[in-house]
Amino acid sequence: MNYFEYNGKRSTDMFVRISKKTVFSAPKYDLTFQSIPGRDGDLISPNGRFPNVTISYTCFIPAKSIEQLADRITAVKNWLYTEPDRYHTLADSYDTKFFRKAVFSNKLDIADECNKIGTFTVNFSCQPMRFSFAGQTKTTYTASGFVLTNPYPFEAKPYIRLNGRGTGNLIIQSSGRNAIWKFTTLDGYTECDSELMNFYQGTELKNDTVSGDGFPTFAFGENTVAFDGGITSVEIIPRWKTV
């Protein structure tokens, strides 16, 4: 039986059955086209981003009575409308290797629609990228100079934890970039979340103790990761992603 899982709960656990999904939707790249008098064709002005995409599931809720249907509808509403101010993990049985970051933000006329035609539609606003489940695994490296291969042509923004004391450098080399970050006050460990663009230790920000070019990322293809000084090991969640 097909399902979707949102914010830690599966649709099947909520007695929701799926009859149709917008499968494998992809975002439209944000471009501006400019016409130039006397010139054939338009100039392309890229805005450097993908907008959100909408993922829709057409569903129904089976029930043996109006009372049971009303109870199940209430439970579904409580589920979907919980924490509407942030993204949650959205996965489903149609695309088992990937998940999305999604939020339910649409009106849901589930009671009337169920009573009239027995179906309703759930729309999620999703970040444009799909994230690989395989890319969510944390791996610890104790030897410098290891290689991570990004299988998708989109820059990955990893979580990295550097263990050690004193000072040390993190170096990431790819075909188009050689980047280095210098850590000046390692005190057991320093964490980096390149999605959130922060260096920190627990709840304490450490951005002022790190110098370098932005935040670590992994380009498409091979990325050689090295470390030195007081850094003794590195833990990485690469967060591979694609459209």
Short mmCIF file of all heavy atoms in Angstrom, two decimals, residues 59-61 66 69-70 72-74 77 107-121:
data_model
loop_
_atom_site.label_atom_id
_atom_site.label_comp_id
_atom_site.label_asym_id
_atom_site.label_seq_id
_atom_site.Cartn_x
_atom_site.Cartn_y
_atom_site.Cartn_z
N CYS A 59 -6.22 11.84 -1.87
CA CYS A 59 -6.42 10.82 -0.85
C CYS A 59 -7.89 10.60 -0.54
O CYS A 59 -8.76 11.36 -0.97
CB CYS A 59 -5.72 11.24 0.45
SG CYS A 59 -3.99 11.73 0.26
N PHE A 60 -8.14 9.55 0.22
CA PHE A 60 -9.46 9.34 0.79
C PHE A 60 -9.31 8.63 2.13
O PHE A 60 -8.26 8.03 2.42
CB PHE A 60 -10.37 8.53 -0.14
CG PHE A 60 -9.92 7.11 -0.37
CD1 PHE A 60 -10.43 6.07 0.38
CD2 PHE A 60 -9.00 6.82 -1.37
CE1 PHE A 60 -10.02 4.77 0.17
CE2 PHE A 60 -8.59 5.51 -1.58
CZ PHE A 60 -9.10 4.48 -0.81
N ILE A 61 -10.33 8.73 2.96
CA ILE A 61 -10.32 8.09 4.28
C ILE A 61 -11.51 7.14 4.36
O ILE A 61 -12.66 7.58 4.37
CB ILE A 61 -10.42 9.14 5.41
CG1 ILE A 61 -9.24 10.10 5.37
CG2 ILE A 61 -10.48 8.44 6.77
CD1 ILE A 61 -9.30 11.19 6.41
N ILE A 66 -20.27 7.86 10.03
CA ILE A 66 -19.98 9.30 10.01
C ILE A 66 -19.15 9.69 11.22
O ILE A 66 -18.24 10.52 11.14
CB ILE A 66 -21.29 10.11 9.96
CG1 ILE A 66 -22.03 9.85 8.65
CG2 ILE A 66 -21.01 11.60 10.13
CD1 ILE A 66 -21.27 10.29 7.41
N LEU A 69 -15.59 8.60 10.67
CA LEU A 69 -14.99 9.48 9.68
C LEU A 69 -14.61 10.82 10.30
O LEU A 69 -13.51 11.35 10.07
CB LEU A 69 -15.95 9.70 8.52
CG LEU A 69 -15.47 10.62 7.39
CD1 LEU A 69 -14.24 10.05 6.73
CD2 LEU A 69 -16.59 10.85 6.37
N ALA A 70 -15.50 11.38 11.11
CA ALA A 70 -15.22 12.68 11.74
C ALA A 70 -14.02 12.59 12.66
O ALA A 70 -13.17 13.50 12.69
CB ALA A 70 -16.45 13.14 12.52
N ARG A 72 -11.49 10.49 12.41
CA ARG A 72 -10.27 10.32 11.61
C ARG A 72 -9.88 11.61 10.91
O ARG A 72 -8.70 11.94 10.78
CB ARG A 72 -10.47 9.19 10.60
CG ARG A 72 -10.53 7.81 11.27
CD ARG A 72 -10.75 6.69 10.27
NE ARG A 72 -10.71 5.39 10.95
CZ ARG A 72 -10.88 4.22 10.35
NH1 ARG A 72 -11.11 4.18 9.03
NH2 ARG A 72 -10.84 3.09 11.05
N ILE A 73 -10.89 12.38 10.47
CA ILE A 73 -10.61 13.68 9.86
C ILE A 73 -9.96 14.62 10.86
O ILE A 73 -9.00 15.34 10.54
CB ILE A 73 -11.92 14.28 9.30
CG1 ILE A 73 -12.34 13.54 8.04
CG2 ILE A 73 -11.74 15.77 9.00
CD1 ILE A 73 -13.71 13.93 7.53
N THR A 74 -10.46 14.65 12.07
CA THR A 74 -9.88 15.50 13.11
C THR A 74 -8.43 15.12 13.37
O THR A 74 -7.56 15.99 13.51
CB THR A 74 -10.70 15.38 14.41
OG1 THR A 74 -12.03 15.84 14.17
CG2 THR A 74 -10.07 16.21 15.52
N LYS A 77 -6.23 16.40 10.51
CA LYS A 77 -5.99 17.84 10.61
C LYS A 77 -4.98 18.16 11.70
O LYS A 77 -4.09 19.01 11.51
CB LYS A 77 -7.32 18.56 10.90
CG LYS A 77 -8.28 18.59 9.72
CD LYS A 77 -9.55 19.34 10.08
CE LYS A 77 -10.50 19.44 8.90
NZ LYS A 77 -11.75 20.15 9.23
N LYS A 107 -4.99 25.41 2.60
CA LYS A 107 -6.30 25.14 3.19
C LYS A 107 -6.69 23.70 2.92
O LYS A 107 -6.42 23.16 1.85
CB LYS A 107 -7.33 26.10 2.60
CG LYS A 107 -8.73 25.97 3.19
CD LYS A 107 -9.67 26.96 2.52
CE LYS A 107 -11.07 26.82 3.08
NZ LYS A 107 -12.03 27.73 2.41
N LEU A 108 -7.33 23.07 3.87
CA LEU A 108 -7.73 21.68 3.73
C LEU A 108 -9.22 21.54 4.04
O LEU A 108 -9.63 21.54 5.20
CB LEU A 108 -6.92 20.79 4.67
CG LEU A 108 -7.11 19.29 4.51
CD1 LEU A 108 -6.59 18.82 3.15
CD2 LEU A 108 -6.39 18.54 5.62
N ASP A 109 -10.04 21.43 2.99
CA ASP A 109 -11.48 21.26 3.16
C ASP A 109 -11.82 19.78 3.17
O ASP A 109 -12.63 19.29 2.39
CB ASP A 109 -12.24 21.96 2.03
CG ASP A 109 -12.08 23.47 2.10
OD1 ASP A 109 -12.04 24.00 3.22
OD2 ASP A 109 -11.99 24.10 1.04
N ILE A 110 -11.20 19.08 4.08
CA ILE A 110 -11.31 17.64 4.06
C ILE A 110 -12.69 17.13 4.48
O ILE A 110 -13.18 16.16 3.90
CB ILE A 110 -10.22 17.03 4.98
CG1 ILE A 110 -10.23 15.50 4.89
CG2 ILE A 110 -10.36 17.49 6.41
CD1 ILE A 110 -9.04 14.88 5.61
N ALA A 111 -13.34 17.78 5.43
CA ALA A 111 -14.63 17.29 5.92
C ALA A 111 -15.69 17.35 4.83
O ALA A 111 -16.35 16.37 4.53
CB ALA A 111 -15.07 18.10 7.14
N ASP A 112 -15.85 18.54 4.20
CA ASP A 112 -16.88 18.69 3.16
C ASP A 112 -16.59 17.78 1.97
O ASP A 112 -17.47 17.12 1.44
CB ASP A 112 -16.94 20.15 2.70
CG ASP A 112 -17.58 21.05 3.75
OD1 ASP A 112 -18.26 20.52 4.63
OD2 ASP A 112 -17.35 22.26 3.67
N GLU A 113 -15.32 17.75 1.54
CA GLU A 113 -14.99 16.96 0.37
C GLU A 113 -15.21 15.48 0.62
O GLU A 113 -15.68 14.75 -0.24
CB GLU A 113 -13.54 17.23 -0.05
CG GLU A 113 -13.35 18.62 -0.59
CD GLU A 113 -11.96 18.84 -1.15
OE1 GLU A 113 -11.23 17.85 -1.29
OE2 GLU A 113 -11.62 19.99 -1.45
N CYS A 114 -14.87 15.03 1.82
CA CYS A 114 -15.06 13.61 2.12
C CYS A 114 -16.54 13.26 2.14
O CYS A 114 -16.94 12.21 1.64
CB CYS A 114 -14.43 13.27 3.47
SG CYS A 114 -12.66 12.96 3.35
N ASN A 115 -17.36 14.14 2.70
CA ASN A 115 -18.79 13.85 2.76
C ASN A 115 -19.42 13.85 1.38
O ASN A 115 -20.39 13.13 1.12
CB ASN A 115 -19.49 14.88 3.65
CG ASN A 115 -19.22 14.61 5.13
OD1 ASN A 115 -18.99 13.48 5.52
ND2 ASN A 115 -19.24 15.67 5.93
N LYS A 116 -18.87 14.68 0.45
CA LYS A 116 -19.49 14.81 -0.87
C LYS A 116 -18.96 13.77 -1.85
O LYS A 116 -19.73 13.11 -2.54
CB LYS A 116 -19.23 16.22 -1.41
CG LYS A 116 -19.98 17.31 -0.65
CD LYS A 116 -19.58 18.69 -1.18
CE LYS A 116 -20.29 19.79 -0.40
NZ LYS A 116 -19.85 21.14 -0.83
N ILE A 117 -17.62 13.66 -1.95
CA ILE A 117 -17.05 12.80 -3.00
C ILE A 117 -16.06 11.78 -2.46
O ILE A 117 -15.52 10.99 -3.22
CB ILE A 117 -16.38 13.65 -4.09
CG1 ILE A 117 -15.25 14.52 -3.51
CG2 ILE A 117 -17.38 14.54 -4.79
CD1 ILE A 117 -14.48 15.30 -4.55
N GLY A 118 -15.76 11.81 -1.20
CA GLY A 118 -14.89 10.80 -0.60
C GLY A 118 -13.42 11.00 -0.82
O GLY A 118 -12.63 10.13 -0.49
N THR A 119 -13.00 12.12 -1.42
CA THR A 119 -11.58 12.36 -1.66
C THR A 119 -11.18 13.76 -1.22
O THR A 119 -12.02 14.64 -1.06
CB THR A 119 -11.21 12.20 -3.14
OG1 THR A 119 -11.90 13.19 -3.89
CG2 THR A 119 -11.55 10.81 -3.65
N PHE A 120 -9.91 13.97 -1.06
CA PHE A 120 -9.37 15.29 -0.74
C PHE A 120 -7.93 15.32 -1.21
O PHE A 120 -7.33 14.29 -1.51
CB PHE A 120 -9.46 15.61 0.76
CG PHE A 120 -8.72 14.64 1.63
CD1 PHE A 120 -7.44 14.92 2.09
CD2 PHE A 120 -9.31 13.43 2.01
CE1 PHE A 120 -6.76 14.02 2.89
CE2 PHE A 120 -8.64 12.53 2.83
CZ PHE A 120 -7.35 12.83 3.26
N THR A 121 -7.37 16.51 -1.29
CA THR A 121 -6.00 16.67 -1.77
C THR A 121 -5.14 17.33 -0.70
O THR A 121 -5.54 18.33 -0.11
CB THR A 121 -5.96 17.53 -3.05
OG1 THR A 121 -6.74 16.89 -4.07
CG2 THR A 121 -4.54 17.69 -3.56
#
